[in-house]
Amino acid sequence: MPGCFRLAGTRISGRQGAPPIENEFMTDTDNTPADDTPHDFIRDKVKADMDSGLHDKVVTRFPPEPNGFLHIGHAKSICLNFGIAAEFGGTCNLRFDDTNPAKEDETYIHAIQDDVRWLGFDWGDNLFYASDYFEQLYDWACDLIRAQKAYVDDLSAEEMREYRGTLTEPGKASPYRERTVEENLDLFARMRSGEFEDGAKVLRAKIDMTSGNINLRDPVLYRILSHPHPRTGKAWSIYPNYDFAHGQSDAIEGVTHSVCTLEFEDHRPLYDWLLDNLSVPARPRQYEFGRLNLGHTVLSKRRLIELVTENHVAGWDDPRMPTLTGYRRRGVPATAIRDFIGRLGVTKAYGLVEMSYLENTIREHLNTSAQRRMAVLDPVKLVIENYPEGQTEELEAVNNPADENSDTRMVSFGRELWVERDDYMDDAPKKFRRLTVGQEVRLRFAYFVTCTEVIKDAAGEVVEIRCTYDPESRGGDSPDGRKVRGTIHWVSAEHAETAEVRLYDHLFAEEVPGKERDWLEDLNPNSLDIRATCYLERALRDAEVGVAVQFERLGYFCADTDTKPDALVFNRTVSLRDSWAKAK
Ligand code: ATP
Ligand code: MG
């Protein structure tokens, strides 16, 4: 059913004309009528904790690993964490989870901050790095060793996997599990000082090799890695892993609600075990929600990195990428992304959101905010035979018909115009309301014209459309009240700006890439269509980079970062209608 939201299948679709979806349909735990503040099970929990006096102040955090750019899935986590903090008068920390220097980079640290700010959130002074806590984390690891709750293991990664057991078989103890406290402290200190090769030893928690939860079968806490760190340089030869760094960092920062995605649900017992066994300054709790999955794209950093490094796209900010920097370059307003995320709500269900749902939200935003302009992307010449040679005039055009207080601009008009090739048809059927010999149409904001003939080349391609105009119809209405059946857009040939326009389509042809074959084979070979010679009205010369305008009848477009005064480049942000829905 078009324009519907199916709760049972947890698939969210949004065809053209989909009504705005209220939050009340989106939550799985309550039926509170939708109002301005969102409701979901995590916010309910925060509210209950505040009402019961468990905390004075809510502290959340968004904890990106600086090993890639942020994607729209991260936006869900950002909106949730910063949103909760704002709604409850608390704070949200931006914490870089920089525990794997082999994959992390300073460039990502800057890009992530830019993107969070662009999305509209502010962490104030609360910018932190897990690497700031390395010394404290090391001390806590030594405490665990002293309490005989951690040991240095010499098993190889492969042996460790064998010893770990499976979901149906218990694991078995490493031969190194019963090392003495003294031996463990000595070995761990020597791991730190760089005495051993990468991978030669690890520090493991000593919990339970028979636990039904594999994460509790003596999980690794530290590994040896002789790799300089972007912030701590060569100070460390060992690095804590996610599990050991995350909860303790939350505790150091006084995080009250540590909100993450469902794949960490099985790690929660370990998160709790560590906090319960260390003398931490606070006791955060972890809550999990379902990650965002979006059709016709991939939201995994590992895959996005591969798209960039293998040159399947032009970079992290390629407008086809589901990255925040890609959407920004494409002309998507940050408010549209926030609104999209807000409408999805927060649940524990696995959900696949159709790309059309995001696109419709973008259209809705741009429809009210974007200025209208005229541009011709597949140009053919139109000559008005009875319009005086050499004459030009300025016509008034409204900037946004969706806004009744809209201002206007002047558009130049002349004898020769560019119009869209598909606005003309030979022997057109009755329902074709545009140019065909003998039919009168309106040129938007200008005059009525009647097509008299077309000139074709040897191959039968139309090279020129000839018309006559009615000088009485200036502004687009005739004094005798006669009606025309269609209105087309145009650009004056003499005044036109030439531009390259890049039309984007889904990056992946399949809705779920990799379902049937290797995910890269599902890349859409037609995701980028470059129109080298398009004609734009003069006002577009001054279009602000990244700010979308509507090209009348065509879609929303914005000047690209590649644009130059003598070589304009525009991106299509989104078409006016969902062409995929039509094609299906
Ligand atoms: P990926 O899974 O894309 O490779 P990641 O989850 O390892 O990335 P992080 O930098 O660790 O990336 O993510 C920071 C935060 O964003 C985490 O709390 C993570 O749960 C959340 N997050 C990542 N992807 C999504 C998603 N698709 N939907 C919602 N939240 C997400
Ligand atoms: Mg992660």
Side-chain angles (χ1 to χ4, degrees), residues 127-314:
L127 176 63
F128 302 111
Y129 295 84
S131 56
D132 291 341
Y133 314 137
F134 281 173
E135 199 64 52
Q136 171 68 77
L137 292 171
Y138 179 84
D139 289 346
W140 276 331
C142 293
D143 288 347
L144 279 185
I145 292 174
R146 281 184 211 101
Q148 300 192 44
K149 287 174 182 165
Y151 61 99
V152 172
D153 197 352
D154 297 3
L155 289 183
S156 68
E158 194 174 326
E159 286 167 326
M160 225 182 297
R161 215 168 307 139
E162 279 165 30
Y163 276 70
R164 187 169 293 130
T166 63
L167 284 173
T168 51
E169 286 166 52
K172 56 179 189 194
S174 160
Y176 305 97
R177 198 172 196 260
E178 301 308 329
R179 278 175 162 154
T180 63
V181 169
E182 290 65 35
E183 194 184 356
N184 279 318
L185 284 174
D186 173 60
L187 287 171
F188 190 47
R190 287 158 61 195
M191 281 166 65
R192 173 180 179 161
S193 64
E195 192 176 321
F196 308 112
E197 295 282 293
D198 286 8
K201 295 182 191 320
V202 291
L203 183 76
R204 297 177 74 172
K206 192 172 182 178
I207 309 180
D208 179 4
M209 287 308 291
T210 64
S211 171
N213 183 336
I214 292 186
N215 292 299
L216 294 180
R217 293 184 191 171
D218 291 10
V220 172
L221 305 180
Y222 268 89
R223 67 249 188 252
I224 302 172
L225 188 62
S226 51
H227 197 291
H229 186 283
R231 291 176 52 84
T232 59
K234 293 186 173 162
W236 292 89
S237 300
I238 52 172
Y239 293 95
N241 67 359
Y242 173 87
D243 286 316
F244 194 67
H246 205 82
Q248 281 69 267
S249 300
D250 285 343
I252 292 169
E253 293 171 16
V255 166
T256 54
H257 298 79
S258 182
V259 180
C260 61
T261 37
L262 274 179
E263 64 272 24
F264 294 103
E265 196 168 24
D266 289 346
H267 293 241
R268 180 162 20 100
L270 176 56
Y271 181 99
D272 289 335
W273 186 89
L274 288 165
L275 293 176
D276 290 343
N277 283 283
L278 293 169
S279 52
V280 288
R283 186 59 173 87
R285 299 276 164 190
Q286 175 181 306
Y287 301 93
E288 308 89 17
F289 68 96
R291 62 194 290 121
L292 170 65
N293 299 294
L294 190 59
H296 294 285
T297 192
V298 290
L299 295 183
S300 136
K301 264 193 273 187
R302 190 177 52 75
R303 288 182 168 180
L304 295 176
I305 288 170
E306 193 170 335
L307 291 175
V308 172
T309 54
E310 304 296 312
N311 298 315
H312 296 293
V313 294

Side-chain angles (χ1 to χ4, degrees), residues 5-7 9-12 76 262 290-295 344 347-354:
F5 169 60
R6 272 175 278 153
L7 196 60
T10 60
R11 174 197 188 85
I12 296 175
K76 182 172 180 183
L262 274 179
R291 62 194 290 121
L292 170 65
N293 299 294
L294 190 59
L344 298 179
T347 73
K348 270 196 179 275
Y350 169 88
L352 176 69
V353 180
E354 287 187 11

Side-chain angles (χ1 to χ4, degrees), residues 314-319 325-331 500 502 504 543-547 557-565 567-572:
W316 285 101
D317 68 346
D318 185 305
T325 186
Y327 288 119
R328 167 160 40 163
R329 180 168 172 189
R330 188 160 168 165
E500 173 183 312
R502 299 173 182 168
Y504 303 106
E544 198 179 323
V545 170
V547 177
F557 295 77
C558 74
D560 185 68
T561 45
D562 285 344
T563 206
K564 295 192 189 66
L568 300 179
V569 180
F570 278 75
N571 299 313
R572 181 169 68 195

Side-chain angles (χ1 to χ4, degrees), residues 60-64 71-84 92 119 121 259-261 289-292 341 346:
T60 58
R61 87 284 169 267
F62 172 63
H71 54 64
I72 194 162
H74 293 118
K76 182 172 180 183
S77 176
I78 297 169
C79 291
L80 183 59
N81 281 296
F82 280 92
I84 288 174
C92 180
L119 198 57
F121 298 100
V259 180
C260 61
T261 37
F289 68 96
R291 62 194 290 121
L292 170 65
I341 299 289
V346 180

